[in-house]
Amino acid sequence: GAVVSQHPSWVICKSGTSVKIECRSLDFQATTMFWYRQFPKQSLMLMATSNEGSKATYEQGVEKDKFLINHASLTLSTLTVTSAHPEDSSFYICSARYPGVGETQYFGPGTRLLVL
Amino acid sequence: DAKTTQPPSMDCAEGRAANLPCNHSTISGNEYVYWYRQIHSQGPQYIIHGLKNNETNEMASLIITEDRKSSTLILPHATLRDTAVYYCIVRAEKLTFGTGTRLTIIP
Protein backbone atom coordinates (compact mmCIF):
# COMPACT_ATOMS: atom_id res chain seq x y z
CA GLY A 1 0.00 0.00 0.00
CA ALA A 2 0.96 3.67 -0.25
CA VAL A 3 3.31 4.88 2.48
CA VAL A 4 3.49 8.34 3.99
CA SER A 5 6.19 9.28 6.47
CA GLN A 6 6.58 12.17 8.88
CA HIS A 7 9.64 13.57 10.55
CA PRO A 8 10.21 14.04 13.38
CA SER A 9 7.88 11.67 15.22
CA TRP A 10 8.05 13.86 18.28
CA VAL A 11 9.60 17.19 19.19
CA ILE A 12 9.95 19.29 22.31
CA CYS A 13 10.73 22.97 21.91
CA LYS A 14 10.82 26.17 23.91
CA SER A 15 8.08 28.75 23.65
CA GLY A 16 8.83 31.31 20.94
CA THR A 17 10.85 29.01 18.69
CA SER A 18 9.79 27.60 15.31
CA VAL A 19 9.38 23.95 14.50
CA LYS A 20 9.35 22.33 11.05
CA ILE A 21 7.55 19.05 10.37
CA GLU A 22 8.11 17.13 7.15
CA CYS A 23 5.61 14.92 5.35
CA ARG A 24 6.77 12.64 2.55
CA SER A 25 4.95 10.30 0.21
CA LEU A 26 7.48 7.50 -0.18
CA ASP A 27 6.20 5.47 -3.11
CA PHE A 28 3.89 7.79 -5.01
CA GLN A 29 3.64 11.38 -6.13
CA ALA A 30 1.08 13.57 -4.44
CA THR A 31 -0.01 16.88 -5.88
CA THR A 32 -2.21 17.38 -2.84
CA MET A 33 -1.36 16.82 0.81
CA PHE A 34 -3.31 17.73 3.92
CA TRP A 35 -2.36 18.79 7.43
CA TYR A 36 -4.46 17.90 10.47
CA ARG A 37 -4.21 18.59 14.17
CA GLN A 38 -5.56 16.41 16.94
CA PHE A 39 -5.89 17.41 20.57
CA PRO A 40 -6.21 14.75 23.30
CA LYS A 41 -9.48 12.82 23.21
CA GLN A 42 -10.66 14.77 20.17
CA SER A 43 -11.04 13.93 16.52
CA LEU A 44 -8.75 15.07 13.72
CA MET A 45 -9.26 18.63 12.57
CA LEU A 46 -8.22 19.66 9.07
CA MET A 47 -5.89 22.65 9.15
CA ALA A 48 -4.98 23.18 5.52
CA THR A 49 -4.72 21.70 2.05
CA SER A 50 -1.26 21.79 0.53
CA ASN A 51 -0.99 21.90 -3.26
CA GLU A 52 2.31 21.31 -5.04
CA GLY A 53 3.61 24.49 -6.61
CA SER A 54 0.92 26.78 -5.25
CA LYS A 55 -0.23 28.36 -2.02
CA ALA A 56 -1.90 26.29 0.65
CA THR A 57 -5.59 26.65 1.39
CA TYR A 58 -6.29 27.12 5.08
CA GLU A 59 -9.44 26.15 6.95
CA GLN A 60 -11.39 28.80 8.76
CA GLY A 61 -9.76 29.84 12.03
CA VAL A 62 -6.27 28.56 11.14
CA GLU A 63 -3.67 31.33 11.03
CA LYS A 64 -1.68 31.06 7.82
CA ASP A 65 1.15 33.22 9.16
CA LYS A 66 1.56 30.95 12.14
CA PHE A 67 1.34 27.62 10.33
CA LEU A 68 3.48 27.97 7.22
CA ILE A 69 3.03 25.26 4.62
CA ASN A 70 5.36 24.59 1.73
CA HIS A 71 4.76 21.90 -0.90
CA ALA A 72 7.85 22.28 -3.03
CA SER A 73 7.88 18.86 -4.65
CA LEU A 74 5.46 16.06 -5.48
CA THR A 75 6.68 14.01 -2.52
CA LEU A 76 7.29 16.57 0.21
CA SER A 77 5.19 19.03 2.16
CA THR A 78 6.40 20.87 5.24
CA LEU A 79 4.51 22.51 8.09
CA THR A 80 6.35 25.12 10.12
CA VAL A 81 4.84 26.19 13.41
CA THR A 82 6.23 29.68 13.93
CA SER A 83 6.73 31.25 17.34
CA ALA A 84 5.27 28.20 19.02
CA HIS A 85 3.38 28.54 22.28
CA PRO A 86 2.21 25.90 24.76
CA GLU A 87 -1.29 25.96 23.27
CA ASP A 88 0.22 24.76 19.97
CA SER A 89 1.17 21.50 21.67
CA SER A 90 -0.73 18.83 19.78
CA PHE A 91 -0.52 15.79 17.51
CA TYR A 92 0.07 16.93 13.92
CA ILE A 93 -0.79 14.48 11.16
CA CYS A 94 -0.36 14.79 7.42
CA SER A 95 -1.98 12.87 4.60
CA ALA A 96 -1.27 12.56 0.90
CA ARG A 97 -3.79 11.98 -1.83
CA TYR A 98 -3.00 8.96 -3.96
CA PRO A 99 -3.68 9.64 -7.64
CA GLY A 100 -6.34 7.56 -9.34
CA VAL A 101 -9.98 6.59 -9.03
CA GLY A 102 -11.34 7.60 -5.62
CA GLU A 103 -8.06 9.41 -4.75
CA THR A 104 -7.62 7.72 -1.42
CA GLN A 105 -5.78 9.68 1.23
CA TYR A 106 -3.01 7.91 3.12
CA PHE A 107 -1.88 9.24 6.47
CA GLY A 108 1.48 9.64 8.08
CA PRO A 109 2.21 8.34 11.59
CA GLY A 110 1.91 11.80 13.13
CA THR A 111 4.23 14.19 14.95
CA ARG A 112 3.73 14.95 18.60
CA LEU A 113 4.72 18.52 19.46
CA LEU A 114 5.25 19.69 23.02
CA VAL A 115 5.95 23.37 23.56
CA LEU A 116 7.37 24.26 26.96
CA ASP B 1 -19.34 16.84 2.52
CA ALA B 2 -22.24 14.75 3.79
CA LYS B 3 -22.47 14.20 7.53
CA THR B 4 -22.24 10.74 9.05
CA THR B 5 -23.67 9.23 12.22
CA GLN B 6 -21.94 6.40 14.05
CA PRO B 7 -22.52 4.80 17.45
CA PRO B 8 -19.94 6.15 19.92
CA SER B 9 -18.77 2.76 21.08
CA MET B 10 -19.12 -0.96 20.47
CA ASP B 11 -17.71 -4.17 21.91
CA CYS B 12 -17.01 -7.34 19.99
CA ALA B 13 -15.71 -10.72 21.14
CA GLU B 14 -12.37 -11.80 19.75
CA GLY B 15 -12.77 -14.07 16.75
CA ARG B 16 -16.29 -12.89 15.96
CA ALA B 17 -17.31 -10.59 13.14
CA ALA B 18 -17.44 -6.90 14.04
CA ASN B 19 -20.19 -5.00 12.23
CA LEU B 20 -19.86 -1.23 12.41
CA PRO B 21 -22.83 0.79 11.12
CA CYS B 22 -22.81 4.25 9.62
CA ASN B 23 -25.66 6.48 8.52
CA HIS B 24 -25.09 9.03 5.76
CA SER B 25 -28.58 9.97 4.65
CA THR B 26 -27.51 13.21 2.92
CA ILE B 27 -24.90 11.59 0.69
CA SER B 28 -24.84 12.84 -2.87
CA GLY B 29 -24.24 10.89 -6.05
CA ASN B 30 -20.50 11.50 -6.47
CA GLU B 31 -19.46 11.07 -2.84
CA TYR B 32 -17.49 8.01 -1.80
CA VAL B 33 -17.87 6.27 1.56
CA TYR B 34 -14.48 5.87 3.24
CA TRP B 35 -13.53 3.96 6.38
CA TYR B 36 -10.42 4.66 8.40
CA ARG B 37 -9.33 3.55 11.82
CA GLN B 38 -7.03 5.14 14.36
CA ILE B 39 -5.17 3.13 16.90
CA HIS B 40 -4.09 5.13 19.92
CA SER B 41 -1.37 7.72 19.19
CA GLN B 42 -1.01 6.75 15.53
CA GLY B 43 -2.10 8.28 12.24
CA PRO B 44 -5.35 7.02 10.73
CA GLN B 45 -5.12 3.83 8.70
CA TYR B 46 -7.09 3.47 5.48
CA ILE B 47 -9.38 0.42 5.51
CA ILE B 48 -11.70 0.48 2.52
CA HIS B 49 -13.89 2.72 0.39
CA GLY B 50 -16.79 2.38 -2.03
CA LEU B 51 -19.20 4.34 -4.15
CA LYS B 52 -22.29 2.14 -4.54
CA ASN B 53 -21.18 -1.47 -4.87
CA ASN B 54 -20.16 -3.65 -1.97
CA GLU B 55 -16.41 -3.92 -1.62
CA THR B 56 -14.04 -6.41 0.00
CA ASN B 57 -10.31 -6.37 0.59
CA GLU B 58 -7.86 -8.18 2.85
CA MET B 59 -8.89 -6.11 5.85
CA ALA B 60 -12.66 -5.78 5.68
CA SER B 61 -15.89 -5.75 3.71
CA LEU B 62 -18.03 -2.71 3.05
CA ILE B 63 -21.74 -3.11 2.52
CA ILE B 64 -23.55 -0.07 1.12
CA THR B 65 -27.35 -0.04 1.00
CA GLU B 66 -29.02 0.36 -2.35
CA ASP B 67 -30.17 3.91 -1.55
CA ARG B 68 -26.60 4.66 -0.32
CA LYS B 69 -27.96 6.23 2.88
CA SER B 70 -26.13 3.84 5.15
CA SER B 71 -23.25 1.39 5.17
CA THR B 72 -21.70 -1.28 7.35
CA LEU B 73 -18.05 -2.09 7.79
CA ILE B 74 -17.43 -5.74 8.56
CA LEU B 75 -14.25 -7.06 10.14
CA PRO B 76 -14.78 -10.81 9.60
CA HIS B 77 -12.66 -12.22 12.45
CA ALA B 78 -11.86 -9.52 14.96
CA THR B 79 -8.57 -9.67 16.85
CA LEU B 80 -7.32 -7.64 19.81
CA ARG B 81 -5.28 -5.54 17.38
CA ASP B 82 -8.53 -4.31 15.81
CA THR B 83 -9.29 -2.26 18.93
CA ALA B 84 -9.37 1.31 17.61
CA VAL B 85 -11.59 4.26 16.75
CA TYR B 86 -13.27 3.66 13.39
CA TYR B 87 -14.27 6.60 11.24
CA CYS B 88 -16.86 6.53 8.48
CA ILE B 89 -16.40 9.49 6.17
CA VAL B 90 -18.31 10.60 3.13
CA ARG B 91 -16.21 12.83 0.93
CA ALA B 92 -16.19 14.58 -2.35
CA GLU B 93 -13.04 16.67 -1.96
CA LYS B 94 -11.81 16.64 1.63
CA LEU B 95 -12.02 14.20 4.53
CA THR B 96 -13.93 15.52 7.52
CA PHE B 97 -13.52 13.38 10.61
CA GLY B 98 -16.41 12.99 13.04
CA THR B 99 -16.15 11.33 16.43
CA GLY B 100 -16.19 7.77 15.08
CA THR B 101 -16.95 4.50 16.86
CA ARG B 102 -14.61 3.25 19.55
CA LEU B 103 -14.45 -0.50 18.94
CA THR B 104 -13.15 -2.64 21.77
CA ILE B 105 -12.34 -6.28 21.10
CA ILE B 106 -12.94 -8.39 24.17
CA PRO B 107 -10.68 -11.44 24.74
Side-chain angles (χ1 to χ4, degrees):
Chain A
V3 180
V4 177
S5 70
Q6 280 184 243
H7 178 80
S9 55
W10 59 269
V11 57
I12 301 172
C13 71
K14 292 182 179 179
S15 188
T17 61
S18 295
V19 174
K20 180 186 280 189
I21 303 170
E22 292 185 350
C23 176
R24 292 181 187 273
S25 55
L26 297 186
D27 50 1
F28 65 100
Q29 293 184 327
T31 55
T32 305
M33 292 184 175
F34 302 87
W35 287 96
Y36 296 79
R37 182 167 52 181
Q38 186 175 33
F39 292 108
K41 297 189 179 181
Q42 294 186 22
S43 189
L44 281 79
M45 196 173 65
L46 179 65
M47 299 175 67
T49 302
S50 170
N51 298 297
E52 187 268 334
S54 64
K55 289 184 179 179
T57 305
Y58 290 81
E59 296 298 302
Q60 195 171 11
V62 178
E63 299 175 59
K64 61 181 179 183
D65 294 331
K66 181 167 184 62
F67 299 100
L68 301 179
I69 292 172
N70 185 278
H71 193 155
S73 79
L74 288 172
T75 59
L76 173 64
S77 175
T78 60
L79 169 70
T80 301
V81 183
T82 63
S83 187
H85 288 98
E87 57 266 30
D88 298 323
S89 299
S90 189
F91 191 45
Y92 291 87
I93 310 168
C94 73
S95 70
R97 184 181 280 167
Y98 189 91
V101 177
E103 295 187 317
T104 300
Q105 282 184 39
Y106 292 92
F107 286 80
T111 296
R112 194 160 297 282
L113 170 64
L114 177 61
V115 184
L116 302 176
Chain B
D1 292 346
K3 212 174 168 185
T4 61
T5 304
Q6 298 178 253
S9 64
M10 289 179 64
D11 292 340
C12 178
E14 187 179 16
R16 304 294 293 267
N19 296 280
L20 291 90
C22 179
N23 285 322
H24 32 78
S25 58
T26 59
I27 192 171
S28 59
N30 63 342
E31 290 181 317
Y32 285 82
V33 179
Y34 275 82
W35 283 84
Y36 286 82
R37 71 181 182 185
Q38 187 177 26
I39 296 168
H40 184 62
S41 294
Q42 297 181 26
Q45 177 188 23
Y46 165 77
I47 301 173
I48 199 167
H49 75 281
L51 186 60
K52 49 186 176 181
N53 297 323
N54 297 337
E55 302 287 346
T56 295
N57 62 20
E58 64 278 4
M59 288 183 69
S61 294
L62 174 60
I63 308 298
I64 303 174
T65 57
E66 197 168 331
D67 62 8
R68 301 211 322 125
K69 293 185 177 182
S70 65
S71 60
T72 301
L73 178 75
I74 302 172
L75 306 178
H77 305 286
T79 70
L80 298 178
R81 287 175 296 183
D82 293 322
T83 291
V85 178
Y86 286 76
Y87 296 98
C88 166
I89 304 169
V90 174
R91 65 146 278 217
E93 189 65 25
K94 299 183 287 189
L95 295 179
T96 302
F97 284 79
T99 52
T101 295
R102 183 172 297 279
L103 176 67
T104 303
I105 305 303
I106 310 295

